[in-house]
């Protein structure tokens, strides 16, 4: 067992991206399961849904996030207050919209939806998601850029990402009018959502 631990530790030190991939492979499905049980109050866990989150988190989110952190570190080096603030603003203006777009479109495609339906979902959910993210990520990223070494930043972001992904998972499962009024074949892809879980004040949801 200790040999395995030493191997994993050595491997992740040599390949920092693997830390993020391992972290997100566990973190994203855990967030989704938390959402299913505590918010949707499902009696049976949808393991296929959780595995989609694991795949997307490990194989897409972690690598792109790692690349973004490396890139912004090269373009805006340093950790003074002015530099950290600059990095945070750039992150919020560039990476956040990219991450939100990737999430709704990518997860929609993994669910088997048509591309145009995923784009329509993005259009209707992007703004409330971005507003919520603007209340969370600037503070988290300022701390991350100022106090955490670059190789550990993905793991620190992962802690915040757990709670954020619970909320994103909730937003993802909300039905919207333009999607639920599509063809019967398309509607079967969308799981019915209990009325008590509708976030009608955030997006236009079908009861």
């Amino acid at each position: 067992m200790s040999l395995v631990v030493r191997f994993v530790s050595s491997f992740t030190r040599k390949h920092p991206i693997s830390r993020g991939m391992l972290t997100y492979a566990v973190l994203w499905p855990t967030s989704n399961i938390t959402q299913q049980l505590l918010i949707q109050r499902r009696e049976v866990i949808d393991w296929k849904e959780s595995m989609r989150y694991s795949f997307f988190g490990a194989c897409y989110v972690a690598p792109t996030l790692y690349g973004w952190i490396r890139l912004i570190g090269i373009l805006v080096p340093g950790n003074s207050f002015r530099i950290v603030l600059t990095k945070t603003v750039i992150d919020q203006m560039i990476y956040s919209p990219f991450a939100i777009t990737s999430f709704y479109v990518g997860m929609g495609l993994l669910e088997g939806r048509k591309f145009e339906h995923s784009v329509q979902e993005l259009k209707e959910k992007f703004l409330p998601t971005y507003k919520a993210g603007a209340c969370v990520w600037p503070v988290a990223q300022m701390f991350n850029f100022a106090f955490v070494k670059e190789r550990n930043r993905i793991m620190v972001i992962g802690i915040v990402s757990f709670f954020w992904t619970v909320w994103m998972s909730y937003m993802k499962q909300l039905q919207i009018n333009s999607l639920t009024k599509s063809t019967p074949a398309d509607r079967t892809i969308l799981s019915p959502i209990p009325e008590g879980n509708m976030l009608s004040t955030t997006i236009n949801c079908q009861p």
Side-chain angles (χ1 to χ4, degrees), residues 116-131:
E116 56 268 27
H117 291 171
S118 298
V119 171
Q120 184 60 38
E121 180 182 26
L122 170 67
K123 290 179 180 178
E124 299 202 25
K125 294 181 179 179
F126 179 87
L127 188 57
T129 304
Y130 185 83
K131 287 180 178 179

Side-chain angles (χ1 to χ4, degrees), residues 168-186:
M168 287 289 285
S169 178
Y170 170 66
M171 287 292 292
K172 185 70 185 71
Q173 54 85 38
L174 288 176
Q175 297 183 34
I176 57 178
N177 285 336
S178 58
L179 294 182
T180 53
K181 288 182 179 179
S182 56
T183 65
D186 294 325

Side-chain angles (χ1 to χ4, degrees), residues 81 84-85 88-89 137-148:
F81 178 78
V84 169
L85 184 61
T88 302
V89 171
W137 287 111
V139 176
Q141 290 290 48
M142 285 191 70
F143 173 84
N144 208 27
F145 288 132
F147 302 110
V148 181

Side-chain angles (χ1 to χ4, degrees), residues 76-140:
V76 191
N79 60 351
S80 66
F81 178 78
R82 181 178 65 83
I83 293 297
V84 169
L85 184 61
T86 300
K87 288 181 179 180
T88 302
V89 171
I90 293 174
D91 184 83
Q92 193 62 31
M93 292 179 63
I94 298 178
Y95 184 77
S96 288
F98 167 78
I100 294 170
T101 300
S102 299
F103 174 77
Y104 285 119
V105 175
M107 290 298 294
L109 294 176
L110 287 177
E111 291 172 354
R113 295 186 188 179
K114 295 181 180 178
F115 177 75
E116 56 268 27
H117 291 171
S118 298
V119 171
Q120 184 60 38
E121 180 182 26
L122 170 67
K123 290 179 180 178
E124 299 202 25
K125 294 181 179 179
F126 179 87
L127 188 57
T129 304
Y130 185 83
K131 287 180 178 179
C135 298
V136 175
W137 287 111
V139 176

Side-chain angles (χ1 to χ4, degrees), residues 28-46:
W28 269 52
T30 302
S31 296
N32 173 255
I33 291 170
T34 300
Q35 186 275 138
Q36 289 188 46
L37 296 178
L38 299 185
I39 300 179
Q40 284 189 272
R41 300 186 183 280
R42 294 181 183 175
E43 295 183 359
V44 178
I45 295 174
D46 185 340

